[in-house]
Coordinates of all heavy atoms in Angstrom, one line a residue:
E17 N 0.8 -1.3 0.0 CA 0.0 0.0 0.0 C 0.8 1.2 0.0 O 0.6 2.3 -0.7 CB -0.9 0.0 1.2 CG -1.8 1.3 1.3 CD -2.6 1.4 2.5 OE1 -2.1 1.1 3.6 OE2 -3.8 1.8 2.4
R18 N 1.9 1.2 0.8 CA 2.8 2.4 0.9 C 3.5 2.6 -0.5 O 3.6 3.8 -0.9 CB 3.9 2.1 1.8 CG 4.8 3.3 2.2 CD 5.9 3.1 3.1 NE 5.3 2.3 4.3 CZ 6.1 1.6 5.1 NH1 7.5 1.4 4.9 NH2 5.7 0.9 6.1
K19 N 3.9 1.6 -1.1 CA 4.5 1.8 -2.5 C 3.6 2.3 -3.4 O 3.9 3.2 -4.2 CB 5.0 0.3 -2.9 CG 5.7 0.5 -4.3 CD 6.2 -0.9 -4.8 CE 6.8 -0.8 -6.2 NZ 7.2 -2.2 -6.7
R20 N 2.3 1.8 -3.4 CA 1.3 2.4 -4.3 C 1.0 3.8 -4.1 O 0.9 4.7 -5.0 CB 0.0 1.6 -4.1 CG -1.2 2.1 -5.0 CD -2.5 1.3 -4.8 NE -2.9 1.3 -3.4 CZ -3.5 2.3 -2.9 NH1 -3.7 3.5 -3.7 NH2 -3.9 2.2 -1.6
L21 N 0.8 4.3 -2.8 CA 0.7 5.6 -2.4 C 1.7 6.5 -2.7 O 1.6 7.7 -3.3 CB 0.3 5.8 -0.9 CG -1.0 5.0 -0.4 CD1 -1.0 5.0 1.1 CD2 -2.2 5.7 -1.0
E22 N 3.0 6.1 -2.6 CA 4.2 6.9 -2.9 C 4.3 7.1 -4.4 O 4.7 8.2 -4.9 CB 5.5 6.2 -2.3 CG 5.5 6.3 -0.9 CD 6.7 5.5 -0.4 OE1 7.2 4.6 -1.0 OE2 7.0 5.8 0.8
E23 N 4.0 6.1 -5.2 CA 3.9 6.1 -6.6 C 3.0 7.2 -7.1 O 3.1 8.0 -8.0 CB 3.7 4.8 -7.3 CG 5.0 3.9 -7.3 CD 4.7 2.5 -7.7 OE1 3.4 2.1 -8.0 OE2 5.6 1.7 -7.8
E24 N 1.8 7.1 -6.5 CA 0.7 8.1 -6.9 C 1.0 9.5 -6.6 O 0.8 10.5 -7.3 CB -0.6 7.7 -6.3 CG -1.8 8.5 -6.9 CD -3.2 8.1 -6.3 OE1 -3.3 7.1 -5.6 OE2 -4.2 8.8 -6.8
I25 N 1.6 9.7 -5.4 CA 2.0 11.0 -5.0 C 3.1 11.6 -5.9 O 2.9 12.8 -6.4 CB 2.6 11.0 -3.6 CG1 1.6 10.8 -2.5 CG2 3.4 12.2 -3.2 CD1 2.0 10.5 -1.1
S26 N 4.0 10.8 -6.4 CA 5.0 11.2 -7.3 C 4.4 11.5 -8.7 O 4.7 12.5 -9.3 CB 6.0 10.0 -7.5 OG 7.0 10.3 -8.5
F27 N 3.4 10.7 -9.1 CA 2.7 10.9 -10.3 C 2.0 12.3 -10.3 O 1.9 13.1 -11.2 CB 1.8 9.7 -10.6 CG 0.8 9.9 -11.8 CD1 1.3 9.6 -13.0 CD2 -0.5 10.3 -11.6 CE1 0.4 9.8 -14.2 CE2 -1.3 10.5 -12.7 CZ -0.9 10.3 -13.9
L28 N 1.2 12.5 -9.3 CA 0.3 13.7 -9.1 C 1.2 15.0 -9.0 O 1.0 16.0 -9.7 CB -0.5 13.6 -7.8 CG -1.6 12.6 -7.9 CD1 -2.2 12.5 -6.5 CD2 -2.7 13.0 -8.8
K29 N 2.3 14.9 -8.3 CA 3.2 16.0 -8.2 C 3.9 16.4 -9.5 O 4.1 17.6 -9.8 CB 4.4 15.7 -7.1 CG 3.9 15.8 -5.7 CD 5.0 15.6 -4.7 CE 4.6 15.8 -3.3 NZ 5.7 15.6 -2.3
S30 N 4.1 15.3 -10.3 CA 4.8 15.7 -11.7 C 3.9 16.6 -12.5 O 4.4 17.4 -13.3 CB 5.1 14.4 -12.4 OG 4.0 13.7 -12.7
Y31 N 2.6 16.4 -12.4 CA 1.6 17.1 -13.1 C 1.3 18.4 -12.6 O 1.3 19.5 -13.2 CB 0.2 16.4 -13.4 CG 0.4 15.2 -14.4 CD1 0.8 14.0 -14.0 CD2 0.1 15.6 -15.8 CE1 0.9 13.0 -15.1 CE2 0.2 14.6 -16.8 CZ 0.6 13.3 -16.3 OH 0.8 12.3 -17.3
I32 N 1.2 18.5 -11.1 CA 1.1 19.7 -10.5 C 2.3 20.7 -10.7 O 2.1 21.9 -10.9 CB 0.7 19.5 -9.0 CG1 -0.5 18.7 -8.7 CG2 0.9 20.8 -8.1 CD1 -0.7 18.2 -7.4
D33 N 3.4 20.0 -10.7 CA 4.7 20.9 -10.8 C 4.8 21.6 -12.2 O 5.4 22.6 -12.3 CB 6.0 20.1 -10.7 CG 6.1 19.7 -9.2 OD1 5.5 20.3 -8.3 OD2 7.0 18.7 -8.9
R34 N 4.1 21.0 -13.2 CA 4.1 21.6 -14.5 C 3.0 22.6 -14.7 O 2.6 23.2 -15.8 CB 4.1 20.6 -15.6 CG 2.8 19.9 -15.9 CD 3.1 18.8 -16.9 NE 1.9 18.3 -17.4 CZ 1.8 17.2 -18.3 NH1 2.8 16.6 -18.7 NH2 0.6 16.9 -18.7
G35 N 2.1 22.8 -13.6 CA 1.0 23.9 -13.7 C -0.3 23.2 -13.8 O -1.3 23.9 -13.8
D36 N -0.6 21.9 -13.9 CA -1.9 21.3 -14.0 C -2.6 21.3 -12.7 O -2.0 21.2 -11.6 CB -1.7 19.9 -14.5 CG -1.4 19.8 -16.0 OD1 -1.5 20.7 -16.8 OD2 -0.7 18.8 -16.4
S37 N -3.9 21.6 -12.7 CA -4.6 21.6 -11.5 C -5.8 20.5 -11.6 O -5.9 19.5 -11.1 CB -5.2 23.0 -11.2 OG -6.0 23.0 -10.0
V38 N -6.9 21.0 -12.4 CA -8.0 20.1 -12.6 C -8.0 19.6 -14.0 O -8.0 20.3 -15.0 CB -9.4 20.9 -12.4 CG1 -10.6 20.0 -12.7 CG2 -9.5 21.4 -11.1
V39 N -7.8 18.3 -14.1 CA -7.5 17.7 -15.5 C -8.6 16.9 -16.0 O -9.2 16.0 -15.2 CB -6.2 16.8 -15.2 CG1 -5.9 16.0 -16.5 CG2 -5.0 17.5 -14.8
P40 N -9.0 17.1 -17.2 CA -10.0 16.2 -17.8 C -9.5 14.8 -18.0 O -8.4 14.7 -18.8 CB -10.4 16.9 -19.1 CG -9.1 17.7 -19.5 CD -8.5 18.0 -18.2

């Protein structure tokens, strides 16, 4: 579970860092 959560956090941050917020 920790691995899955850490991967999702990394995934989300990669999009937020480039300026994405609400994504279709």
Side-chain angles (χ1 to χ4, degrees):
E17 183 189 39
R18 188 185 314 160
K19 184 182 178 184
R20 177 182 60 78
L21 293 170
E22 287 173 343
E23 285 175 352
E24 187 174 0
I25 287 170
S26 176
F27 173 81
L28 292 167
K29 282 183 175 179
S30 69
Y31 283 88
I32 292 171
D33 288 346
R34 72 182 195 187
D36 290 332
S37 180
V38 179
V39 179

